[in-house]
Amino acid sequence: MKTTTSINPATEEEITSYNRVSEESAKEKIAKANETYKTWKKTSFNERSKLMHKLANIFEENKEKYAQLATLEMGKVIEQSRKEIEKCALICRYYADNIANLLADKTVETEASKSYVTFQPLGVTLAVMPWNFPFYQVIRFAAPAVMTGNTGVLKHASNVQGCAFALEVAFTEAGFPKGVFTNLNVTSDAIKTIIEDKNIVAVTLTGSEPAGRSVAKIAGENLKKTVLELGGSDAYIILEDADLEKATDLATYGRLQNNGQTCIAAKRFIVLEEIYDEFLSLFTKKMKAAKMGAPTDKDVYYGPMARVDLRNEIHEQVQKTIKQGGKLILGGKIPDRKGAYYPATILGDLKPGMVAFDEELFGPVASVIRAKDENEAIELANNSTFGLGSGVITSNTKRGEKVALQLEAGNSFVNKLVTSDPRLPFGGIKNSGYGRELSSYGIREFVNTKSIWID
């Protein structure tokens, strides 16, 4: 039997192995999810909410166990892992408490004696999820999907199968019927067959742009709805009136949070030229002071990347950028130690056409770009194939809002790093994907928006 092996990125040591699921077994599990859907969709919001609250309790009661597992499998600093588990509980409670309002029927005045729009579940949804937030990414999909009356099957990243199995157990312990949430430990090669399965009605994917294109193509050929949240190269404009202490604090955390491996992380810092040198000097000082080390150690700011191959890829991007004329300000060298470590790195004086300007840098590497004025800063920010998150740092919030409205992205924050919040829709444009997660907009992606007319 084929297995999946988890490797600790901090030590490169094997953690454990998990048995793969054959395509035949996967189809049986999907069929079971569909049978469960037929009864689950008939349950009341109240019944679902009680179970979802129990799931939230399980996350809270097992926070340390789950956090240690996430850190072990993908290298997240332990305190950030704890916060991830807390956010899972928050998401569960949000949907448990608000589902009736989010999916309430909408009366529409027409010539009918009664006409309204109702929202009904669709069936079994496939989620293809990444490793960077191994618990939260899954719950962000699963909590709303399950609360609508859908059932879900998960194809998680191979390097976090411990987290994937833990999630399946958590749903079972919360009392959800078997088949409401199912983990499929299959290879990526099996995704096509799974999407084509007659019992799969929709697909949601968070991952790379190539993965999104592949899944969208297969789903499109089978006329199945998709929501894609792909990569990002988020631009943060630093205006000349910004508080540079605050701006560089945000920049440092934004680039090193989750070891630099966040889709909506601040990646490109576009700084007006009158403060460029001062910003770069202070930013460099703070990035240099950030402690890199084992993610379970005290006072560590960032740990290893999730895999050695990913570390090597970002190093190659750094080296290509330098050859193209980019200036290495800090870091840029693979440390002589075990583990997938990469130092806090800053590349300066970047221009369109350079790798670090055009491509997503999924690791602890910051791109700093000079702009002559506000208009050029907006132009440079929008000069990207991506459009997930963006931000503006300024002491004038009205000015910041004006700039934010001109940025081509699904999320634009002023004086704050982009974050996902269950009360707001989350997603991107351009090559960052389409569709939305969270809030009323996200929960209605995988429902039948149905018109009822009574004469």
Side-chain angles (χ1 to χ4, degrees):
M1 180 176 286
K2 294 182 179 179
T3 59
T4 305
T5 302
S6 290
I7 304 294
N8 184 340
T11 63
E12 298 182 50
E13 295 174 352
E14 182 177 323
I15 303 167
T16 189
S17 294
Y18 300 92
N19 291 332
R20 287 282 195 191
V21 174
S22 66
E23 286 190 19
E24 182 180 349
S25 179
K27 290 179 78 67
E28 290 173 357
K29 288 176 180 287
I30 293 167
K32 172 59 180 175
N34 188 55
E35 285 301 310
T36 301
Y37 161 70
K38 293 174 183 178
T39 53
W40 179 248
K41 68 179 180 179
K42 298 175 184 177
T43 58
S44 67
F45 287 151
N46 187 50
E47 289 177 77
R48 298 173 203 165
S49 293
K50 287 178 181 178
L51 297 178
M52 193 57 68
H53 273 297
K54 288 182 181 178
L55 182 60
N57 291 340
I58 288 171
F59 281 121
E60 290 165 349
E61 292 162 4
N62 294 275
K63 179 172 72 171
E64 191 61 27
K65 180 179 76 172
Y66 293 151
Q68 292 287 346
L69 180 57
T71 292
L72 187 66
E73 288 201 308
M74 61 76 55
K76 191 190 306 283
V77 172
I78 187 62
E79 187 54 37
Q80 292 179 21
S81 291
R82 293 181 183 121
K83 290 179 180 177
E84 178 176 341
I85 304 306
E86 290 170 3
K87 196 165 186 178
C88 288
L90 182 149
I91 292 286
C92 291
R93 296 202 192 283
Y94 174 80
Y95 283 107
D97 292 337
N98 293 284
I99 188 66
N101 290 329
L102 292 170
L103 291 184
D105 292 345
K106 303 295 182 184
T107 299
V108 180
E109 295 297 330
T110 66
E111 300 80 36
S113 59
K114 183 179 182 181
S115 53
Y116 61 97
V117 179
T118 192
F119 306 98
Q120 298 179 330
L122 291 175
V124 186
T125 303
L126 167 66
V128 183
M129 292 289 118
W131 44 261
N132 58 335
F133 290 91
F135 283 93
Y136 171 64
Q137 290 281 178
V138 176
I139 291 301
R140 195 168 82 189
F141 131 76
V146 166
M147 287 304 298
T148 61
N150 291 323
T151 57
V153 292
L154 169 68
K155 192 289 174 198
H156 215 332
S158 296
N159 58 324
V160 290
Q161 278 302 309
C163 297
F165 280 105
L167 281 159
E168 185 177 53
V169 170
F171 271 87
T172 300
E173 290 180 349
F176 287 95
K178 186 176 181 180
V180 165
F181 178 87
T182 306
N183 177 43
L184 301 178
N185 184 17
V186 295
T187 65
S188 296
D189 294 340
I191 291 177
K192 182 176 186 294
T193 301
I194 292 172
I195 295 174
E196 291 172 343
D197 190 294
K198 65 179 181 179
N199 291 317
I200 296 292
V201 298
V203 187
T204 179
L205 175 141
T206 298
S208 68
E209 181 187 339
R213 290 182 183 278
S214 175
V215 164
K217 180 180 179 181
I218 299 164
E221 288 173 345
N222 289 274
L223 297 179
K224 296 183 180 182
K225 176 77 181 288
T226 52
V227 168
L228 305 178
E229 193 261 277
L230 309 178
S233 187
D234 292 11
Y236 276 71
I237 294 175
I238 319 295
L239 296 176
E240 82 286 346
D241 62 356
D243 177 337
L244 289 184
E245 282 290 345
K246 178 179 180 179
T248 49
D249 280 346
L250 288 171
T252 303
Y253 185 75
R255 210 56 220 102
L256 300 181
Q257 177 196 15
N258 211 42
N259 309 338
Q261 302 163 129
T262 305
C263 297
I264 50 171
K267 296 188 176 85
R268 294 183 299 142
F269 300 93
I270 302 171
V271 188
L272 267 59
E273 60 182 359
E274 51 259 63
I275 58 165
Y276 180 91
D277 291 336
E278 189 179 356
F279 171 88
L280 187 58
S281 175
L282 193 53
F283 184 32
T284 302
K285 181 181 177 181
K286 291 180 179 179
M287 287 279 276
K288 188 175 183 180
K291 183 180 178 182
M292 178 180 74
T296 52
D297 286 355
K298 191 176 181 182
D299 299 327
V300 166
Y301 201 99
Y302 66 107
M305 293 180 63
R307 300 195 311 260
V308 170
D309 63 306
L310 297 172
R311 188 272 311 277
N312 294 342
E313 282 178 23
I314 200 165
H315 181 63
E316 186 177 340
Q317 288 177 300
V318 168
Q319 295 304 305
K320 285 181 178 178
T321 300
I322 294 169
K323 288 179 181 177
Q324 292 172 325
K327 186 177 180 182
L328 179 64
I329 308 297
L330 179 71
K333 295 180 180 177
I334 296 175
D336 184 18
R337 62 183 294 177
K338 273 279 188 183
Y341 290 94
Y342 199 70
T345 299
I346 300 176
L347 296 167
D349 291 329
L350 301 182
K351 294 177 173 57
M354 294 182 180
V355 167
F357 186 100
D358 294 345
E359 296 180 9
E360 179 179 32
L361 299 181
F362 212 65
V365 180
S367 301
V368 185
I369 300 148
R370 190 190 305 262
K372 64 183 179 183
D373 56 29
E374 180 183 304
N375 288 333
E376 186 181 46
I378 295 169
E379 184 181 330
L380 287 166
N382 291 336
N383 187 351
S384 174
T385 60
F386 297 105
L388 188 55
S390 58
V392 188
I393 313 299
T394 175
S395 61
N396 185 333
T397 54
K398 286 188 177 179
R399 182 185 180 193
E401 182 179 3
K402 181 182 175 184
V403 173
L405 286 167
Q406 297 176 72
L407 298 178
E408 297 169 355
N411 309 269
S412 291
F413 283 34
V414 178
N415 295 332
K416 189 180 188 303
L417 297 171
V418 172
T419 185
S420 57
D421 185 304
R423 298 165 295 185
L424 291 169
F426 180 82
I429 60 173
K430 300 183 181 179
N431 290 355
S432 290
Y434 52 75
R436 291 295 179 263
E437 295 178 281
L438 303 177
S439 80
S440 62
Y441 299 92
I443 203 167
R444 292 177 189 168
E445 289 282 3
F446 294 136
V447 297
N448 175 15
T449 304
K450 187 174 182 177
S451 297
I452 301 294
W453 179 291
I454 301 168
D455 225 348

